[in-house]
Amino acid sequence: MAWITDGSDGFAVNVDVVTHVDNKGVDNVFNAMWQDGDGVSSGEHYWKIHFPTLESGAGVGLTSKDYFKKGYACRAINYLGNLSNCGGLLVGNFGPRPKQADTIGILAVYEGDRLKVYVDENGTSLGLAFNVPASTFKSIFPVVSFHSSGSATCTKQTEIPKVTSRASATFTGIEGDWKLTNLEENAVVLDLPLKPTAKLTKIDTDKYSFNVHVINRMWTNLFKADGDWKTSGVCSTMIGGDPESMKFEDTVGSLIEKVKVVEVDAGGNLSVKSDTLSSTWTRYDSTPGPFVGEPFA
């Protein structure tokens, strides 16, 4: 059992610890594979990858000897918050990004002609992450893909955890995922040509990140001052759209930029108001599903 690196500069292996020190700051990934015998291609197998140090994220997943290559040439199914094939995005925002002191569990289950891979983070199950053809790999090995400096250990567990479904995210207060269901301007109900969604994430006491998607994505920090909610100025992507949709997006943007009230009402809905605009948002489950298909197609 040993770590095998992809030959990138900055790697060191000390017994069961692989360390990468990034002195160049280049846009790349630096891969290390945990080689345990000839790999596995049937049954159930569970590994835990621990990060004693980690600077800016890493991917944890599975690869094979023939796919293990240097940098982005490596082909692997990776969990790094998103789900990826090492070089491209497969599923976004699947879970939290691995960070220093985290332990990520990888459970590989062969079922007939399918390879199902389950992920857990510090003992909390994220459920099924990948459902790919068993023929994707000749045999599998755990792999870590560093994006900067960090270190990792890998241990194969003899006790296989019980497979559990991914739990839906639970939120309290104004945090969570919301969908716009009603918008009024000066007490006049407006049509909703689009169905905007929003995500509120707590940063600190009375401070949240506020991300809204209409056509473009808008984001700001939301904070409380003198009893009212305020924003730090709204930024957005610039994809564009037809005139009616863009006018509607401008109205939603004005609501966010000039917000004064943000609260959850008695019915559990989110109420967001400015001096002239009033809106109602309902919770929805945005928990992403697994990747199903050919990861390298």
Side-chain angles (χ1 to χ4, degrees):
M1 295 180 291
W3 284 107
I4 307 298
T5 74
D6 67 359
S8 297
D9 293 338
F11 270 119
V13 177
N14 183 6
V15 191
D16 64 344
V17 180
V18 63
T19 300
H20 183 262
V21 177
D22 180 20
N23 293 319
K24 297 183 178 180
V26 297
D27 178 20
N28 205 345
V29 294
F30 312 96
N31 308 300
M33 183 178 73
W34 180 251
Q35 185 170 295
D36 184 358
D38 296 324
V40 295
S41 56
S42 62
E44 299 182 355
H45 306 271
Y46 182 51
W47 299 270
K48 284 189 175 183
I49 293 88
H50 177 66
F51 293 102
T53 62
L54 192 58
E55 188 173 286
S56 61
V60 176
L62 299 171
T63 189
S64 58
K65 284 185 179 180
D66 54 328
Y67 281 167
F68 181 66
K69 299 182 185 300
K70 189 173 182 178
Y72 285 114
C74 182
R75 303 179 90 181
I77 48 177
N78 255 349
Y79 166 75
L80 60 158
N82 298 328
L83 303 181
S84 84
N85 57 11
C86 199
L89 178 68
L90 298 176
V91 176
N93 301 313
F94 187 80
R97 291 182 65 187
K99 61 186 184 301
Q100 182 167 303
D102 278 354
T103 299
I104 307 299
I106 300 290
L107 170 61
V109 179
Y110 284 91
E111 292 184 0
D113 64 351
R114 308 300 295 179
L115 168 61
K116 296 183 179 180
V117 181
Y118 300 80
V119 175
D120 60 76
E121 185 250 355
N122 297 325
T124 299
S125 174
L126 299 179
L128 180 63
F130 297 95
N131 182 347
V132 302
S135 58
T136 298
F137 304 104
K138 293 179 181 178
S139 58
I140 56 174
F141 299 85
V143 64
V144 172
S145 299
F146 294 100
H147 296 278
S148 185
S149 299
S151 60
T153 64
C154 180
T155 56
K156 188 171 186 181
Q157 307 294 300
T158 56
E159 184 175 346
I160 303 296
K162 181 180 178 181
V163 172
T164 57
S165 299
R166 179 184 176 95
S168 297
T170 57
F171 299 100
T172 58
I174 67 174
E175 269 199 296
D177 299 293
W178 303 94
K179 186 175 295 183
L180 183 66
T181 54
N182 186 73
L183 180 63
E184 299 180 13
E185 186 170 17
N186 296 319
V188 176
V189 177
L190 303 179
D191 291 333
L192 302 181
L194 299 167
K195 300 293 184 183
T197 58
K199 188 178 190 68
L200 278 158
T201 306
K202 189 171 185 177
I203 300 173
D204 202 346
T205 302
D206 287 342
K207 186 176 182 180
Y208 296 79
S209 67
F210 195 4
N211 290 271
V212 180
H213 183 209
V214 187
I215 299 173
N216 300 287
R217 293 190 178 274
M218 299 179 281
W219 62 93
T220 185
N221 284 334
L222 182 69
F223 61 94
K224 212 165 192 178
D226 300 324
D228 287 336
W229 287 98
K230 301 180 186 297
T231 63
S232 57
V234 178
C235 299
S236 69
T237 57
M238 294 301 293
I239 298 173
D242 62 86
E244 180 186 8
S245 297
M246 291 304 297
K247 181 179 179 181
F248 176 66
E249 181 172 270
D250 288 344
T251 301
V252 176
S254 179
L255 167 69
I256 303 307
E257 185 176 16
K258 299 175 182 178
V259 65
K260 285 192 173 181
V261 175
V262 182
E263 61 187 8
V264 176
D265 63 24
N269 297 316
L270 181 71
S271 178
V272 180
K273 299 177 182 178
S274 67
D275 285 334
T276 59
L277 292 159
S278 176
S279 65
T280 302
W281 305 68
T282 57
R283 286 195 186 277
Y284 78 101
D285 185 5
S286 66
T287 304
F291 172 80
V292 180
E294 300 277 354
F296 309 127

